[in-house]
Amino acid sequence: MKKRFWLPVLAFMCLRLWAGGVDGFEFLNRDINEILYTVSLYRGIAIVGDDTVSGKADFRFAGDDFDSAFDSFLNANRLYAQKNDKLWLVSKVRFADLGNGLIQLDASDIRPALLVEKINRHFMVELSFDSLPETRISLHVTGKEAGDFAGAVVRQLGRDYSLEEKDGRLRIVKAVTERSSISSGREKSVVKKIPPIEGKGNLYQVDVQDSTASSVLEELFKNEGREFVFACDSNAKIKRIMFSGKTFDETLSLLLSCASLKTVQIDGIIYVLNDNEIGNSPADTGKIWLRHGISYGQINSVLPFVENRFGKLNAVVLDGNNSFLCFTTQNTHEQIDEFLEALDGAKNVSVITLRYIKTDDLLSHLPPGISSSQIKSGTQDNVFFFTGNREQLDYLNAQLESLDAPARRLKYDLLVMQYQKTNDMSWDNSLSIRRITPGDFTDASVSLGSVLDLNLDVVGAFGFKFALSLQTAINENRASVFADTTLHGLSGSSIQFKSSNIYRYRDNNIDPETGKPVYTGVTREISSGLKIDVTGWVSGDGMITTKVMASVSRQGADTSSTTGNPPPTSEKVITTEVLCKSGEPIVLSGLVQNESSFIEQRTPGLGKIPGLGWAFKGRKETEEKTEMVIYLVPHWEKDEAETVVAETDQEFFMRINRTYLGINGGNDAASE
């Protein structure tokens, strides 16, 4: 692109230098359009070449008369220019008005299709044409109408083309030659009738080279006026064959032998088949080819039933007419017709609307005796068309009473508690003194406050005693609520709960020469936190099988900038599968993370004094143990007919009071 841009600019600079006193300029073997553009810059007028201008040329000029030099350049390259004050249009085609209605056309070295388009555009007539050759022509002719010039083009193209006129429309058509088809390269296919010889009927002449057998046989059948069907590989090639004076049967036999094909005539129609030696063995004695068809359904779905009834058959499926050819005995042919007549009856079509499931769900769980070919999806996901008799329809409706049912819904009450235990070994230079009061010995109380506000019914699921201990741990900051939510899903589907942090760091490598990390420009991610996957399934007896996979991961300190390694991570994973009733709790523990830390504090300046500095330092070493405990309660959300009436608030508090009194009074109320 840069080279093509600078060439006209350099030429223009040469022209400007010449205008200032240089004797002349020249273009050697340059693109004509580039020459026109550069000259237009010098001349100060638009000089444009149309779509006929192409190729390269030379342009030399020295002197004062530029216009004469430019006209000489056009004449030398057989170009013509239409000039006005603002534009010079250069073309290889020129229409000149000679008066008295005569027009002279001059065209030099131009493609025929492009020349016809110029004639069409000049005379504004409807002039169309078939595919024209790419050979360039030159034309200098005088005429009055578009037909005069179109006819001159046809004469240049030769006898293979002719000009037709119909209803004022002109068209250049390619003349039909004796050969029916001639392809590129060496391909040739000539099949034609020749004068008959007495006693032999119609005779044929054949000259074929590198043509498909289907095209050659099609010419032969059309010349003979015979109906035919190709039931074979129609791309088989005939390399070379040439003969003359053969009858139709002799010609057909020779062509079939060249392409390893054979024909079978049934009801006046010739079927072309692959010659796979069927019918040549003694076991094939008495067998014949016949055609069998059906009126309803698809032949590919019916043929397996036929072969299952009669065994493996020599059958050829015919495309597009729902039939097949079969090679067997006459008795078997009759039995096949009877079997197809019973199998291929008009089917009743019913429209069925599903209530809860989709058509795709039904197709993946079809009841025995119903095939997917009998079901066709409708415009909606829950509507389909069923093809079958009345007995099959009644059977399908009976099965849909259990299949077309709402999916069982599951609810999971999820509570994740984070328990912490810290061992603090510290030495501090500070002293704290306060008075001991009697309340230090008697200050102990427990109340159910935040526990009752949890989404999970802790008291109902685990009992009052557990709720008291959990509330105490929360009050003493030994436990905190990490997650408290409800998950909803369908039986058999998976549900995921995820609470994580995404840490992004720049990847780096260690420079072997300096030993320092060098960033690669790639950003990576590390995810850490809690992840819970729950898959539940409700069995027929109402039991819930729950599979739980829980993982806790923690990211360590970022050392990537100093060591060239990504931050370290640790992960604990628990997987369990539990069978329980609706409302029975599941507890997962053991997701423990240990972390140690050491902190040193000092008084600025004084803490660095040897020996005496220990009095101004403070050290704190902490070992922290964190455990995630997951409390999961699955519930089967039953339909209205199966739902148990929920207890009222008054009944709930009465049950809580009875449980509390049973714990403190030692009676049997706790067992309730």
Side-chain angles (χ1 to χ4, degrees):
M1 290 296 294
K2 291 183 178 180
K3 182 177 179 181
R4 294 182 61 86
F5 173 77
W6 283 107
L7 285 174
V9 175
L10 291 175
F12 177 65
M13 293 174 62
C14 294
L15 291 175
R16 299 304 298 174
L17 290 174
W18 167 82
V22 180
D23 292 335
F25 61 87
E26 66 177 359
F27 295 91
L28 300 178
N29 195 28
R30 304 308 308 168
D31 188 272
I32 294 178
N33 286 295
E34 289 184 2
I35 296 175
L36 296 179
Y37 174 70
T38 307
V39 170
S40 68
L41 295 178
Y42 164 74
R43 186 63 174 78
I45 192 171
I47 304 177
V48 181
D50 66 2
D51 54 351
T52 65
V53 177
S54 62
K56 297 183 178 182
D58 299 336
F59 184 23
R60 299 177 179 86
F61 169 67
D64 298 329
D65 190 357
F66 171 77
D67 291 350
S68 298
F70 186 68
D71 290 339
S72 299
F73 163 73
L74 297 177
N75 292 332
N77 293 278
R78 292 182 292 181
L79 299 171
Y80 309 97
Q82 296 180 4
K83 300 180 180 180
N84 56 42
D85 296 338
K86 297 182 178 179
L87 174 66
W88 292 2
L89 180 61
V90 179
S91 175
K92 288 188 175 183
V93 180
R94 180 181 64 180
F95 292 91
D97 189 358
L98 302 180
N100 297 325
L102 293 177
I103 298 176
Q104 179 178 339
L105 168 63
D106 297 297
S108 299
D109 192 28
I110 185 173
R111 292 185 295 110
L114 193 55
L115 179 56
V116 173
E117 290 179 359
K118 293 294 183 182
I119 296 173
N120 192 5
R121 189 178 304 173
H122 181 81
F123 289 94
M124 300 299 292
V125 297
E126 187 172 344
L127 174 59
S128 59
F129 53 89
D130 292 342
S131 176
L132 301 180
E134 293 295 319
T135 305
R136 295 176 178 269
I137 62 175
S138 297
L139 194 65
H140 304 278
V141 64
T142 301
K144 293 184 177 181
E145 299 177 350
D148 299 335
F149 303 102
V153 174
V154 170
R155 290 191 294 272
Q156 289 279 346
L157 297 178
R159 62 180 181 178
D160 288 342
Y161 291 87
S162 61
L163 180 64
E164 296 181 354
E165 183 176 1
K166 184 178 181 181
D167 298 331
R169 300 182 180 91
L170 297 175
R171 182 174 181 83
I172 300 176
V173 298
K174 189 175 182 179
V176 179
T177 61
E178 184 183 58
R179 292 180 299 176
S180 59
S181 62
I182 299 179
S183 303
S184 60
R186 300 173 55 195
E187 292 187 14
K188 179 194 300 185
S189 175
V190 177
V191 178
K192 68 175 183 177
K193 288 183 179 181
I194 60 176
I197 300 176
E198 184 177 354
K200 297 197 70 174
N202 292 330
L203 300 181
Y204 285 88
Q205 174 186 341
V206 175
D207 185 2
V208 175
Q209 179 174 342
D210 292 331
S211 295
T212 60
S214 60
S215 62
V216 178
L217 291 174
E218 185 174 348
E219 294 180 42
L220 176 64
F221 293 144
K222 287 182 177 180
N223 282 325
E224 190 69 13
R226 304 292 293 272
E227 296 181 284
F228 61 94
V229 174
F230 285 103
C232 62
D233 181 12
S234 59
N235 293 321
K237 282 274 190 178
I238 296 179
K239 190 67 177 176
R240 187 74 174 103
I241 184 172
M242 183 175 64
F243 57 83
S244 181
K246 302 293 184 182
T247 64
F248 170 77
D249 293 334
E250 294 171 338
T251 302
L252 178 61
S253 177
L254 289 172
L255 294 177
L256 293 175
S257 63
C258 291
S260 298
L261 301 174
K262 72 177 188 178
T263 58
V264 175
Q265 185 169 339
I266 303 174
D267 297 332
I269 301 176
I270 299 177
Y271 295 90
V272 182
L273 310 174
N274 289 319
D275 189 3
N276 48 10
E277 304 298 330
I278 296 177
N280 297 332
S281 65
D284 295 333
T285 303
K287 295 182 178 180
I288 58 176
W289 286 94
L290 287 180
R291 175 184 173 274
H292 302 276
I294 59 176
S295 301
Y296 304 93
Q298 298 293 327
I299 193 63
N300 289 322
S301 61
V302 173
L303 190 58
F305 294 99
V306 177
E307 293 184 338
N308 185 50
R309 168 66 176 79
F310 299 97
K312 185 66 176 178
L313 299 172
N314 292 319
V316 179
V317 177
L318 302 177
D319 296 333
N321 55 8
N322 239 12
S323 61
F324 64 94
L325 299 180
C326 184
F327 183 71
T328 186
T329 62
Q330 180 65 39
N331 183 39
T332 305
H333 281 299
E334 294 175 357
Q335 295 180 21
I336 292 175
D337 286 335
E338 294 177 359
F339 182 77
L340 290 177
E341 184 178 356
L343 187 66
D344 182 48
K347 305 295 191 303
N348 296 322
V349 179
S350 304
V351 180
I352 298 179
T353 302
L354 301 171
R355 296 179 58 193
Y356 302 104
I357 64 176
K358 298 180 181 180
T359 305
D360 293 340
D361 299 330
L362 177 63
L363 289 173
S364 59
H365 302 88
L366 282 176
I370 303 296
S371 65
S372 58
S373 61
Q374 295 179 273
I375 295 177
K376 183 175 180 57
S377 300
T379 56
Q380 300 180 14
D381 293 339
N382 64 329
V383 177
F384 66 90
F385 300 95
F386 175 72
T387 304
N389 52 38
R390 173 55 59 182
E391 291 77 11
Q392 290 178 316
L393 178 61
D394 294 340
Y395 169 72
L396 178 61
N397 287 328
Q399 297 298 319
L400 287 178
E401 291 182 3
S402 58
L403 293 176
D404 187 21
R408 293 177 173 177
R409 302 184 302 274
L410 289 174
K411 180 184 72 171
Y412 300 92
D413 291 332
L414 175 66
L415 174 63
V416 181
M417 297 299 300
Q418 180 173 319
Y419 293 90
Q420 291 182 339
K421 181 179 179 181
T422 304
N423 295 326
D424 189 359
M425 295 180 296
S426 61
W427 177 87
D428 203 341
N429 58 355
S430 63
L431 180 62
S432 176
I433 301 175
R434 71 180 180 87
R435 185 187 300 273
I436 298 178
T437 63
D440 293 336
F441 300 99
T442 61
D443 187 11
S445 64
V446 175
S447 62
L448 292 179
S450 59
V451 170
L452 295 179
D453 294 332
L454 295 175
N455 182 71
L456 189 147
D457 182 9
V458 177
V459 178
F462 300 98
F464 193 74
K465 186 176 181 179
F466 174 81
L468 290 176
S469 63
L470 180 61
Q471 184 65 58
T472 302
I474 294 175
N475 293 340
E476 295 177 357
N477 294 325
R478 291 184 290 107
S480 61
V481 179
F482 185 84
D484 178 32
T485 185
T486 300
L487 308 177
H488 295 271
L490 299 177
S491 177
S493 62
S494 297
I495 309 173
Q496 185 179 93
F497 173 83
K498 188 175 183 181
S499 177
S500 60
N501 298 319
I502 303 296
Y503 173 80
R504 295 179 176 86
Y505 66 95
R506 291 187 296 170
D507 195 11
N508 55 40
N509 296 322
I510 298 298
D511 191 338
E513 297 182 358
T514 63
K516 297 181 179 180
V518 178
Y519 292 107
T520 62
V522 178
T523 301
R524 301 187 184 275
E525 293 183 351
I526 294 179
S527 177
S528 60
L530 176 65
K531 179 181 177 182
I532 303 174
D533 291 319
V534 183
T535 303
W537 176 75
V538 181
S539 59
D541 56 357
M543 299 293 288
I544 301 176
T545 302
T546 305
K547 183 176 181 180
V548 185
M549 194 281 290
S551 64
V552 175
S553 57
R554 173 177 289 184
Q555 169 209 325
D558 183 10
T559 59
S560 59
S561 60
T562 57
T563 64
N565 297 319
T569 57
S570 60
E571 184 179 25
K572 294 291 182 66
V573 180
I574 292 179
T575 301
T576 185
E577 190 169 356
V578 181
L579 177 64
C580 61
K581 296 180 180 179
S582 177
E584 288 186 351
I586 303 171
V587 181
L588 281 78
S589 60
L591 299 173
V592 181
Q593 296 281 354
N594 295 318
E595 184 174 4
S596 300
S597 62
F598 176 79
I599 301 174
E600 181 179 272
Q601 296 177 340
R602 66 178 69 181
T603 303
L606 299 178
K608 295 184 179 181
I609 300 175
L612 185 61
W614 287 100
F616 302 96
K617 293 181 181 179
R619 293 186 301 167
K620 185 176 184 180
E621 185 176 355
T622 304
E623 291 186 1
E624 185 178 278
K625 180 180 180 181
T626 303
E627 181 180 9
M628 291 287 186
V629 180
I630 301 172
Y631 303 97
L632 189 68
V633 182
H635 298 275
W636 174 19
E637 295 184 306
K638 303 178 183 179
D639 295 335
E640 294 181 359
E642 302 172 313
T643 302
V644 179
V645 178
E647 61 184 352
T648 63
D649 294 341
Q650 183 179 1
E651 292 172 339
F652 169 77
F653 285 110
M654 290 178 63
R655 180 168 59 85
I656 295 300
N657 292 332
R658 290 197 303 269
T659 304
Y660 177 74
L661 293 174
I663 293 176
N664 290 276
N667 55 22
D668 296 334
S671 62
E672 297 180 5

